Amino acid sequence: MPQPLDYRKETPSQTAGPYVHIGLAPGASGFDIYSNELGRDIAGPDAPGERIRVEGLVHDGTGAPVKDVLIEVWQADSNGIYPHPEDPRFAKVATGFRGWGRVITDFDTGLWSFTTVKPGAVRGRNGRMQAPHLSLWIVARGINLGLNTRIYFADEEKANANDPVLNMIEQQHRRATLLASREMRDGKPVYRFDIRLQGENETVFFDL
Amino acid sequence: MKPAEYHQRDRLWQPPQLTPNYKTSVPRSPRQALLSLEQSMSEITGPVFGHGDIDPIDNDLIRNYAKTGDPIGERIIVHGRVLDENNRPVPNTLVEIWQANAGGRYRHRKDTYLAPIDPNFGGCGRTLTDPDGFYFFRTVKPGAYPWRNWVNNWRPAHIHVSVFGASFSQRLITQMYFEGDPLIAKCPIVNSIPDPRAVQQLIAPLDLNAAIPLDSLAYKFDITLRGRRSTLFENRLEGN
């Protein structure tokens, strides 16, 4: 017998279930228990950059909106710096910038939204720049293991065309499933990003 | 040596997305293959939390929503460690839990089970692991409850557990079950996990050594997050 490898196995995932809201977003689901609900303010009041709203629906394979999803977002600041000690430029991250948020969908309509600052481009592997993007993690009843995807911005055409991740998607028409479209509403920028869990135009999900 | 990417997720150990006996997974599971991504700064970083984010009482579910007295139910302590696949502790990471009350009812607007709400039980808690990865909660043991899947499905008693780790690629939600519960083997959600050894990893043993005599029983639940490779030779995420 060779020597044993003594790695542990990752704990298996289980669905977040229908009541994930009381655990991770009690205030947003109308349950007042914590003095500080986490994940409500991604950028903080002082971070520089363009303030944007991002919104959308999550559709199931029948086309119906999913009304019990919880989404977490992780992003760099407007200079492309992550608020994490392993980012080499961490010391220069925007003041008060958390980079992380969580939202739940409206129980009646399924619409979700958050406000933040638009991230800057971040360095990818081997020195290639990645287009500005938000990383998403999606959990819900019926999802056995959280789904990872990214939101890119449709108006960043040049950066998107050179993005190493978008370019890895073999079927070119599927790249569009990761692009949020931009519109102005009451003078403020709103990005729309619909997620399709299954079926026509299924969103590209990642194995990270 | 400089830490690099996280080990790939073992997709044969984790549940697949499509598990038809758990019916809701049928319309909610992607049908296209996942795109394998070499990790970049976006994946090896993640949110950082501190003691300023939470209150000390947040890990005590017996007291954190008590109005007129203690909640009804079997008093238990749930404790354990968060480790990674390389057997290293994961310190200072946020652990959040939520659960039904002792009768099997959640304090959630969508839960209509006939068992009553407990006025003194909220059913959620959170804490940070200590420098050695240890965490603990005090709560009451949740009850089993029926759910709409097959006509007569019952969830085994369980506590939902959410853990962050140090990066967005370690993010994990799971459920903790209790040693000896005959409903575990019959549950379609448990059985979404293909390998029976992986199911054992979710069953917390009774831990009498951690019980408080004349007060609370205890269960031990260790959690393993993805570990990371060390760069023995250069393969820089950031280029040269």
Side-chain angles (χ1 to χ4, degrees), chain A residues 7-23:
Chain A
Y7 294 112
R8 299 171 64 88
K9 297 297 291 182
E10 186 187 19
T11 298
S13 169
Q14 293 271 264
T15 178
Y19 309 125
V20 59
H21 320 92
I22 66 158

Side-chain angles (χ1 to χ4, degrees), chain B residues 164-175:
Chain B
F164 279 82
S167 84
F168 212 51
S169 61
Q170 288 178 298
R171 193 79 180 84
L172 184 73
I173 282 183
T174 190
Q175 301 182 29

Side-chain angles (χ1 to χ4, degrees), chain A residues 6-24 26 29-38 59-62 65-70 72-74 82-88 98 100 102 107-108 122-128 130 133 135-137 139-148 150 165 168-171 174 197-199 202-208, chain B residues 5 7 9-11 13-17 19 22 24-32 34-49 52-53 55 58 64-65 83-87 94 96-99 106-111 122-126 160 162 164 166 168-169 171-175 177 189-190 192-193 198 201-202 222-226 228 235-239:
Chain A
D6 62 350
Y7 294 112
R8 299 171 64 88
K9 297 297 291 182
E10 186 187 19
T11 298
S13 169
Q14 293 271 264
T15 178
Y19 309 125
V20 59
H21 320 92
I22 66 158
L24 303 188
S29 60
F31 167 33
D32 182 24
I33 183 163
Y34 297 139
S35 62
N36 175 29
E37 178 140 315
L38 300 173
H59 297 279
D60 70 15
T62 73
V66 182
K67 298 174 183 175
D68 52 11
V69 175
L70 180 133
E72 291 189 2
V73 56
W74 173 241
Y82 282 103
H84 187 277
E86 288 192 42
D87 189 310
R98 292 297 294 258
W100 171 79
R102 62 169 48 137
F107 288 117
D108 298 318
V122 298
R123 194 172 285 275
R125 296 177 67 93
N126 303 313
R128 286 187 68 182
Q130 304 185 82
H133 63 273
S135 296
L136 295 191
W137 184 72
V139 295
R141 179 170 66 99
I143 294 177
N144 288 326
L145 175 62
L147 293 168
N148 291 98
R150 286 183 176 190
V165 172
M168 237 173 27
I169 302 171
E170 185 181 341
Q171 299 87 0
R174 296 197 70 209
L197 297 176
Q198 186 191 104
E202 179 180 308
T203 300
V204 173
F205 298 104
F206 300 122
D207 184 7
L208 308 176
Chain B
E5 301 95 332
H7 303 316
R9 200 156 237 162
D10 186 345
R11 296 277 166 180
W13 190 257
Q14 292 291 345
Q17 293 294 355
T19 48
Y22 173 25
T24 313
S25 78
V26 175
R28 294 187 173 190
S29 46
R31 290 292 185 277
Q32 302 301 320
L34 301 180
L35 181 66
S36 293
L37 205 60
E38 289 184 296
Q39 291 163 16
S40 70
M41 196 56 67
S42 304
E43 287 75 41
I44 68 160
T45 56
V48 178
F49 300 96
D53 288 320
D55 291 316
D58 289 352
N64 71 4
Y65 201 73
L83 300 157
D84 72 14
E85 290 169 304
N86 300 333
N87 284 298
L94 184 65
E96 297 164 289
I97 65 170
W98 68 100
Q99 63 168 96
Y106 286 87
R107 184 177 285 279
H108 188 288
R109 53 195 276 181
K110 297 283 186 187
D111 188 355
C124 62
R126 57 191 186 179
H160 297 266
S162 160
F164 279 82
F168 212 51
S169 61
R171 193 79 180 84
L172 184 73
I173 282 183
T174 190
Q175 301 182 29
Y177 303 99
I189 289 177
V190 172
S192 68
I193 299 168
Q201 223 179 332
L202 297 185
D222 289 337
I223 299 158
T224 305
L225 303 180
R226 295 166 71 181
R228 59 197 305 196
N235 175 19
R236 290 190 193 170
L237 272 68
E238 293 185 58

Side-chain angles (χ1 to χ4, degrees), chain B residues 171-200:
Chain B
R171 193 79 180 84
L172 184 73
I173 282 183
T174 190
Q175 301 182 29
M176 176 199 120
Y177 303 99
F178 293 85
E179 178 183 10
D181 187 340
L183 288 170
I184 295 171
K186 298 180 185 302
C187 177
I189 289 177
V190 172
N191 290 324
S192 68
I193 299 168
D195 191 323
R197 294 169 302 169
V199 171
Q200 294 301 313

Side-chain angles (χ1 to χ4, degrees), chain A residues 53-59 65-67 69 71 103-106 109-114 136 151 180-181 185 190-196:
Chain A
R53 175 184 166 92
V54 185
E55 63 180 29
L57 292 169
V58 180
H59 297 279
V66 182
K67 298 174 183 175
V69 175
I71 298 175
V103 293
I104 60 173
T105 48
D106 183 280
T109 65
L111 190 72
W112 57 267
S113 70
F114 55 84
L136 295 191
I151 298 178
S181 59
R185 193 183 302 161
V190 178
Y191 285 95
R192 174 80 186 194
F193 187 76
D194 290 328
I195 296 162
R196 290 181 175 77

